[in-house]
Amino acid sequence: MRNKFIGQSEDGYHPIRKIKVCLSGLRYAIRYDFSVAYKVYLSLLMLLVCFFSTPMD
């Protein structure tokens, strides 16, 4: 995104770039912070358990 005060960087809004930055930050947090890593893994485990334990009609 362009800095309107000093005229640096790139023009426009790029949602794909924002998603990449978000995911790289999350990957960094999972890799280097144990408290984030165990919460993410526990959440994924709970989602899988809930998904597969639901009765299918």
Side-chain angles (χ1 to χ4, degrees), residues 6-34:
I6 57 177
Q8 290 180 339
S9 193
E10 299 177 18
D11 288 330
Y13 173 74
H14 299 284
I16 302 297
R17 186 182 317 135
K18 290 183 180 283
I19 291 171
K20 285 182 182 179
V21 169
C22 176
L23 291 177
S24 70
L26 185 60
R27 184 173 50 230
Y28 180 85
I30 290 171
R31 183 177 290 170
Y32 295 110
D33 190 0
F34 177 74

Side-chain angles (χ1 to χ4, degrees), residues 23-50:
L23 291 177
S24 70
L26 185 60
R27 184 173 50 230
Y28 180 85
I30 290 171
R31 183 177 290 170
Y32 295 110
D33 190 0
F34 177 74
S35 63
V36 174
Y38 94 85
K39 288 176 186 176
V40 169
Y41 293 137
L42 189 61
S43 298
L44 290 174
L45 177 69
M46 292 306 296
L47 280 172
L48 287 173
V49 167
C50 291

